[in-house]
Amino acid sequence: MLTLTNITWLDLCLAGVAVYLVKQGLNKNPAPYPPGPRGLPLIGNIQDMPRIKPWLTFTEWGKKYGPISHVEILGQHIIVLNSVKSAMDMLDKKGTVYSDRPVLPMGGELCGWKHSLGLLPYGDHFRQYRKNIHHIMGNRAALDVYHPVEEIETHRFLKRVFAKPEKLQDHVRHTAGAIILRISHGYEVKEKNDPFIDLADRAMDQFSRATAPGAFMVDIMPLLAKVPEWFPGVGFKRLAREWHQTLEEMVDAPYKFVQDQMDVGIAPKSFTSNLLEGRTLSVEEDHMVKWSAASLYSGGADTTVSAIYSIFLAMTLFPHVQKKAQAEIDAVVGTDRLPSFADRDSLPYIEALVKEVLRWNVVGPTAIPHRVTEDDIHDGYYIPKGSLVIPNIWFMLNDPQTFADPSQFNPERFLDNDGKDPEPEPRTICFGFGRRICPGLHLADASVWISTVMSLAVFDISKVVENGVEITPEVDPTSGTVSHPKPFKCSIKPRSAKAAALIQQDANY
């Protein structure tokens, strides 16, 4: 007797057979697919798709098959790009065709992230979200109004690190959340155990895990979403239910805070209050404002954390870089005050150092896949409608033909040296491509810059010595849509008594 469960698994098998038979009977493509590993009958390349650090496997594909490679899993075509040129030619120059997002059964549908800007389908809602965000941070000049907030919160970060350097990672997360919540919702975080910071941390960790390529079989076999939660092997559904609840809280709680503040006339200016001021919103407009703000808040609360934490890792591992950076700060800014954004144009080595942080620690190694909305022929290869396109950003920023000794942290690669041109600008790569480029890139860049220059002005960062043994941190980034350095130990001490006094000054400018 067939049960509902039997039918579900039977459906899966029949679907695989149907895809294979249709492919075999109707495979009259106008051009060949890009090269890639040979798949198996019925299941295609399901065994080839990596789940841990997929960018490393994609890099090997690039070496073997060239800048554009292809796999197919149960009829789903996946295109991997291993060169900047291919990414620009397809995702940027053909943006009308390559700017959609895939339907992600785990992260998008089951967990609920389909309403966020990152996973929103290409269309009118997507354009409105980006318009809302672009209005306040579309370029560096637009961010000038937020510089005091970033400087104040970064000074508070220095105080926290000075008091408890062993809690560095917590301090980085707290500060990144504090800055973005002030901008997105006008909310000033609590010094300890802030509920909105905790929500953002949990939600973004879950997002990264839920959307990582190949992490969940349901993304490869969407019919698994219909299997009951109690059935063996579908524990992902319990996870999805928990993660969906976290996301709802993260989106709703800060939004309600702004509404409540506006009701009593005490709401500070923010991204959300500006969009709500003097308007009576329809249900659809309310949804768009709430999720635009949540997209800004969630995106800014995690990506900069990875980059800023990497600053401390790099300074621990490459002390000669730290000394050069501090020498420039001392020469330009002096030691009687903290650096500010007003000093940025006068600190070329710090600027190069920030570029190198973004290149060396790739925050989004494979980005979020793009989806093709029409059949395309590119470089003689057939890219069918519905294909997922994954740019291997990690390799693009670690390609030895583009960046000399890419594993080395070397800011000087971005400076003019003895008439030699600087290496390519990493910020045109690390934030994504085309119409899906990160809309908060200028805010992220500013946050990394101010954290770098203020921290190096007052702190010496070095390896920890335990029981007479110097501990060298391991460079081992985590898997996920957003990648973080593996937690590490380092010594953080004030550079001098004068530096300690600067740290402890009042942080209210």
Side-chain angles (χ1 to χ4, degrees), residues 438-458:
C438 172
L441 65 93
H442 296 295
L443 177 62
D445 178 61
S447 296
V448 176
W449 187 87
I450 196 66
S451 295
T452 301
V453 72
M454 277 194 171
S455 297
L456 292 180
V458 296

mmCIF file of all heavy atoms in Angstrom, residues 438-458:
data_model
loop_
_atom_site.group_PDB
_atom_site.id
_atom_site.type_symbol
_atom_site.label_atom_id
_atom_site.label_comp_id
_atom_site.label_asym_id
_atom_site.label_seq_id
_atom_site.Cartn_x
_atom_site.Cartn_y
_atom_site.Cartn_z
ATOM 1 N N CYS A 438 26.501 44.963 -4.267
ATOM 2 C CA CYS A 438 26.049 45.328 -2.922
ATOM 3 C C CYS A 438 25.721 46.821 -2.849
ATOM 4 O O CYS A 438 26.596 47.662 -3.092
ATOM 5 C CB CYS A 438 27.138 44.988 -1.900
ATOM 6 S SG CYS A 438 26.785 45.593 -0.236
ATOM 7 N N PRO A 439 24.481 47.199 -2.508
ATOM 8 C CA PRO A 439 24.134 48.619 -2.455
ATOM 9 C C PRO A 439 24.769 49.348 -1.274
ATOM 10 O O PRO A 439 24.829 50.574 -1.257
ATOM 11 C CB PRO A 439 22.606 48.602 -2.337
ATOM 12 C CG PRO A 439 22.302 47.307 -1.665
ATOM 13 C CD PRO A 439 23.331 46.332 -2.168
ATOM 14 N N GLY A 440 25.238 48.591 -0.270
ATOM 15 C CA GLY A 440 25.867 49.214 0.893
ATOM 16 C C GLY A 440 27.380 49.223 0.835
ATOM 17 O O GLY A 440 28.046 49.387 1.853
ATOM 18 N N LEU A 441 27.929 49.107 -0.371
ATOM 19 C CA LEU A 441 29.388 48.969 -0.488
ATOM 20 C C LEU A 441 30.131 50.184 0.054
ATOM 21 O O LEU A 441 31.210 50.054 0.643
ATOM 22 C CB LEU A 441 29.793 48.677 -1.927
ATOM 23 C CG LEU A 441 29.541 49.727 -3.016
ATOM 24 C CD1 LEU A 441 30.757 50.622 -3.216
ATOM 25 C CD2 LEU A 441 29.193 49.049 -4.343
ATOM 26 N N HIS A 442 29.587 51.386 -0.132
ATOM 27 C CA HIS A 442 30.279 52.582 0.350
ATOM 28 C C HIS A 442 30.264 52.649 1.877
ATOM 29 O O HIS A 442 31.251 53.079 2.495
ATOM 30 C CB HIS A 442 29.648 53.841 -0.249
ATOM 31 C CG HIS A 442 29.785 53.938 -1.738
ATOM 32 N ND1 HIS A 442 31.020 54.069 -2.351
ATOM 33 C CD2 HIS A 442 28.859 53.883 -2.729
ATOM 34 C CE1 HIS A 442 30.833 54.119 -3.674
ATOM 35 N NE2 HIS A 442 29.550 54.001 -3.923
ATOM 36 N N LEU A 443 29.159 52.218 2.483
ATOM 37 C CA LEU A 443 29.108 52.182 3.945
ATOM 38 C C LEU A 443 30.075 51.141 4.481
ATOM 39 O O LEU A 443 30.790 51.386 5.457
ATOM 40 C CB LEU A 443 27.684 51.871 4.413
ATOM 41 C CG LEU A 443 27.504 51.735 5.928
ATOM 42 C CD1 LEU A 443 27.851 53.043 6.627
ATOM 43 C CD2 LEU A 443 26.071 51.316 6.263
ATOM 44 N N ALA A 444 30.111 49.968 3.858
ATOM 45 C CA ALA A 444 31.035 48.921 4.300
ATOM 46 C C ALA A 444 32.479 49.387 4.183
ATOM 47 O O ALA A 444 33.279 49.206 5.108
ATOM 48 C CB ALA A 444 30.820 47.664 3.463
ATOM 49 N N ASP A 445 32.814 50.004 3.063
ATOM 50 C CA ASP A 445 34.164 50.511 2.851
ATOM 51 C C ASP A 445 34.533 51.549 3.906
ATOM 52 O O ASP A 445 35.636 51.528 4.463
ATOM 53 C CB ASP A 445 34.245 51.111 1.444
ATOM 54 C CG ASP A 445 35.601 51.718 1.140
ATOM 55 O OD1 ASP A 445 36.599 50.981 1.165
ATOM 56 O OD2 ASP A 445 35.662 52.935 0.877
ATOM 57 N N ALA A 446 33.597 52.456 4.213
ATOM 58 C CA ALA A 446 33.862 53.490 5.216
ATOM 59 C C ALA A 446 34.045 52.879 6.602
ATOM 60 O O ALA A 446 34.935 53.294 7.368
ATOM 61 C CB ALA A 446 32.717 54.500 5.235
ATOM 62 N N SER A 447 33.238 51.881 6.929
ATOM 63 C CA SER A 447 33.330 51.251 8.254
ATOM 64 C C SER A 447 34.663 50.539 8.428
ATOM 65 O O SER A 447 35.288 50.616 9.500
ATOM 66 C CB SER A 447 32.175 50.266 8.447
ATOM 67 O OG SER A 447 30.935 50.920 8.442
ATOM 68 N N VAL A 448 35.098 49.840 7.392
ATOM 69 C CA VAL A 448 36.382 49.141 7.468
ATOM 70 C C VAL A 448 37.519 50.155 7.584
ATOM 71 O O VAL A 448 38.461 49.968 8.369
ATOM 72 C CB VAL A 448 36.583 48.223 6.245
ATOM 73 C CG1 VAL A 448 37.963 47.570 6.281
ATOM 74 C CG2 VAL A 448 35.502 47.148 6.199
ATOM 75 N N TRP A 449 37.424 51.251 6.827
ATOM 76 C CA TRP A 449 38.495 52.253 6.858
ATOM 77 C C TRP A 449 38.622 52.890 8.244
ATOM 78 O O TRP A 449 39.737 52.953 8.790
ATOM 79 C CB TRP A 449 38.236 53.343 5.811
ATOM 80 C CG TRP A 449 39.396 54.290 5.689
ATOM 81 C CD1 TRP A 449 40.498 54.154 4.902
ATOM 82 C CD2 TRP A 449 39.598 55.499 6.450
ATOM 83 N NE1 TRP A 449 41.365 55.199 5.117
ATOM 84 C CE2 TRP A 449 40.846 56.037 6.050
ATOM 85 C CE3 TRP A 449 38.857 56.171 7.411
ATOM 86 C CZ2 TRP A 449 41.350 57.231 6.581
ATOM 87 C CZ3 TRP A 449 39.351 57.356 7.957
ATOM 88 C CH2 TRP A 449 40.588 57.871 7.541
ATOM 89 N N ILE A 450 37.509 53.359 8.817
ATOM 90 C CA ILE A 450 37.604 54.064 10.099
ATOM 91 C C ILE A 450 38.028 53.113 11.213
ATOM 92 O O ILE A 450 38.775 53.495 12.123
ATOM 93 C CB ILE A 450 36.278 54.789 10.444
ATOM 94 C CG1 ILE A 450 36.496 55.824 11.546
ATOM 95 C CG2 ILE A 450 35.181 53.817 10.809
ATOM 96 C CD1 ILE A 450 37.384 56.988 11.152
ATOM 97 N N SER A 451 37.598 51.862 11.152
ATOM 98 C CA SER A 451 38.026 50.886 12.166
ATOM 99 C C SER A 451 39.519 50.615 12.060
ATOM 100 O O SER A 451 40.218 50.498 13.074
ATOM 101 C CB SER A 451 37.253 49.573 11.991
ATOM 102 O OG SER A 451 35.880 49.750 12.237
ATOM 103 N N THR A 452 40.006 50.517 10.826
ATOM 104 C CA THR A 452 41.436 50.264 10.606
ATOM 105 C C THR A 452 42.286 51.405 11.121
ATOM 106 O O THR A 452 43.225 51.206 11.909
ATOM 107 C CB THR A 452 41.710 50.054 9.104
ATOM 108 O OG1 THR A 452 40.947 48.945 8.622
ATOM 109 C CG2 THR A 452 43.189 49.810 8.849
ATOM 110 N N VAL A 453 41.973 52.617 10.709
ATOM 111 C CA VAL A 453 42.844 53.753 11.034
ATOM 112 C C VAL A 453 42.787 54.101 12.518
ATOM 113 O O VAL A 453 43.820 54.416 13.137
ATOM 114 C CB VAL A 453 42.500 54.967 10.145
ATOM 115 C CG1 VAL A 453 41.179 55.613 10.539
ATOM 116 C CG2 VAL A 453 43.638 55.978 10.144
ATOM 117 N N MET A 454 41.621 54.017 13.127
ATOM 118 C CA MET A 454 41.527 54.324 14.558
ATOM 119 C C MET A 454 42.223 53.253 15.401
ATOM 120 O O MET A 454 42.923 53.579 16.376
ATOM 121 C CB MET A 454 40.057 54.445 14.985
ATOM 122 C CG MET A 454 39.415 55.789 14.715
ATOM 123 S SD MET A 454 37.846 55.922 15.631
ATOM 124 C CE MET A 454 37.451 57.655 15.348
ATOM 125 N N SER A 455 42.032 51.997 15.029
ATOM 126 C CA SER A 455 42.636 50.911 15.809
ATOM 127 C C SER A 455 44.149 50.960 15.741
ATOM 128 O O SER A 455 44.847 50.814 16.763
ATOM 129 C CB SER A 455 42.129 49.554 15.304
ATOM 130 O OG SER A 455 40.745 49.427 15.494
ATOM 131 N N LEU A 456 44.690 51.176 14.547
ATOM 132 C CA LEU A 456 46.150 51.199 14.400
ATOM 133 C C LEU A 456 46.768 52.453 14.997
ATOM 134 O O LEU A 456 47.948 52.454 15.357
ATOM 135 C CB LEU A 456 46.528 51.074 12.927
ATOM 136 C CG LEU A 456 46.219 49.713 12.299
ATOM 137 C CD1 LEU A 456 46.629 49.694 10.833
ATOM 138 C CD2 LEU A 456 46.914 48.590 13.044
ATOM 139 N N ALA A 457 45.986 53.510 15.128
ATOM 140 C CA ALA A 457 46.517 54.727 15.749
ATOM 141 C C ALA A 457 46.844 54.514 17.220
ATOM 142 O O ALA A 457 47.782 55.132 17.745
ATOM 143 C CB ALA A 457 45.516 55.868 15.595
ATOM 144 N N VAL A 458 46.095 53.635 17.890
ATOM 145 C CA VAL A 458 46.251 53.529 19.346
ATOM 146 C C VAL A 458 46.677 52.151 19.851
ATOM 147 O O VAL A 458 47.097 52.023 21.006
ATOM 148 C CB VAL A 458 44.940 53.941 20.061
ATOM 149 C CG1 VAL A 458 44.636 55.411 19.801
ATOM 150 C CG2 VAL A 458 43.773 53.063 19.625
#
